[in-house]
Amino acid sequence: MQQWFETPPGRYLLEWERAEFDRVVSDIFGYHALQLGLGELDCLQANRMPHKWLALSHADTAVDEYRRRPALVTNYAALPFEENSVDLVVLPHSLELNVDPHATLREVERVLVPEGKVAICCLNPASLWGLRQRRAHVYRRLGFGELFLPDAGDFIGYWRLRDWLRLLSFEVESSTFGCYRPAFATEKWLERYDWMDRLGERWWPIFGAAYFIVAVKRVRGMKLMGPAWKKRKSLATAPVPLASRNHRRMRRRQDHA
């Protein structure tokens, strides 16, 4: 996958994803943010949280001088963080390249704080790129042809991923699609069809080559309460002495007599 991102279509996709991550994470606040996978792209560069980590899986530990060094190497289904301790998790293609995306999502839900957010970017099977990839798989079974996308992982449909998030009590906050140009392998032909990005956003928005989802972790029946800075003042009650009551009664009787 790292080698494919160095090709013209890979750079085209990374450019769109970088703009989407910068737009989304810049307005998410907290203390701890975590990026899972894709060390080539700094998805948290526009975020202002004080603590940010890049985590790679054991299969992605090969990094060189052109890639960022990971803060930790871990299994995405067993993150070394406590429950309810991370404010933001970003997943750039980390689900479709994972052997168990369900376990990864469950682990993300575990470490996120209530009202924490997850940003996910995936390739869209319902696109021109997905169509070319499926056709290439058919040709390969017949003994010829090459794949357009890397033969790693599996496509996850947009509505399928929304169902997974809903089952884990996530609420989808926003979603976008992008990269509408045909599946060309050269930069020359990709540039010739740059006008399709403008038309695609208007006329066929759900058929972009990639999609981007931001979801919020909801905890049912929970109410966030702030500290009680001011205590409620109790009403002062002054007891009336019994002797003074009797004295007033005796004076009333004498006045009537």
Side-chain angles (χ1 to χ4, degrees):
M1 195 70 179
Q2 287 84 0
Q3 295 178 356
W4 183 83
F5 279 122
E6 297 175 358
T7 64
R11 292 193 297 268
Y12 164 57
L13 178 65
L14 283 181
E15 183 180 356
W16 179 80
E17 292 180 356
R18 181 179 291 107
E20 286 299 305
F21 275 112
D22 290 347
R23 177 184 62 84
V24 169
V25 304
S26 61
D27 294 330
I28 300 178
F29 302 98
Y31 296 97
H32 307 283
L34 174 65
Q35 175 181 339
L36 297 181
L38 195 58
E40 294 83 355
L41 180 62
D42 187 0
C43 303
L44 299 172
Q45 65 177 353
N47 187 264
R48 288 168 283 181
M49 294 188 190
H51 306 290
K52 296 183 287 188
W53 298 280
L54 168 64
L56 297 181
S57 65
H58 296 283
D60 299 329
T61 54
V63 294
D64 56 23
E65 66 269 23
Y66 298 103
R67 301 189 179 101
R68 295 185 299 136
R69 297 286 175 176
L72 63 152
V73 177
T74 180
N75 183 358
Y76 296 163
L79 297 175
F81 294 95
E82 297 180 353
E83 295 184 5
N84 306 324
S85 60
V86 181
D87 300 281
L88 170 65
V89 179
V90 294
L91 302 169
H93 303 285
S94 306
L95 293 180
E96 56 198 357
L97 298 177
N98 198 297
V99 294
D100 193 352
H102 298 276
T104 299
L105 270 183
R106 286 193 297 268
E107 188 68 1
V108 170
E109 190 274 339
R110 182 188 69 83
V111 301
L112 273 178
V113 300
E115 304 301 315
K117 295 186 178 182
V118 56
I120 305 172
C121 189
C122 293
L123 292 171
N124 184 15
S127 64
L128 295 176
W129 291 22
L131 179 62
R132 176 168 176 176
Q133 184 77 351
R134 289 194 296 271
R135 185 185 65 182
H137 277 294
V138 175
Y139 288 166
R140 286 190 65 179
R141 287 195 291 268
L142 298 177
F144 61 94
E146 295 182 359
L147 296 178
F148 176 70
L149 298 171
D151 190 14
D154 191 16
F155 284 108
I156 301 175
Y158 169 73
W159 294 107
R160 182 184 177 192
L161 181 55
R162 286 183 65 113
D163 290 338
W164 292 357
L165 292 170
R166 187 179 68 253
L167 291 175
L168 291 173
S169 300
F170 281 101
E171 180 181 336
V172 175
E173 185 179 70
S174 63
S175 57
T176 55
F177 290 79
C179 299
Y180 297 93
R181 303 179 195 182
F184 292 124
T186 62
E187 188 172 359
K188 174 182 177 181
W189 283 99
L190 285 172
E191 291 297 331
R192 284 188 177 183
Y193 284 84
D194 60 346
W195 53 271
M196 292 189 66
D197 286 333
R198 298 186 297 273
L199 292 183
E201 293 179 359
R202 180 175 182 182
W203 297 108
W204 53 88
I206 64 173
F207 297 119
Y211 63 88
F212 196 92
I213 291 180
V214 179
V216 185
K217 176 183 174 180
R218 302 296 188 191
V219 178
R220 307 301 178 186
M222 188 194 71
K223 182 178 181 181
L224 297 178
M225 301 182 64
W229 295 105
K230 296 182 180 180
K231 295 183 179 180
R232 185 178 178 181
K233 295 181 180 180
S234 58
L235 297 177
T237 57
V240 179
L242 183 61
S244 61
R245 295 184 190 175
N246 296 334
H247 181 69
R248 286 196 295 270
R249 290 175 183 172
M250 293 293 295
R251 291 191 58 180
R252 292 196 195 99
R253 292 176 182 175
Q254 293 177 0
D255 293 339
H256 288 299

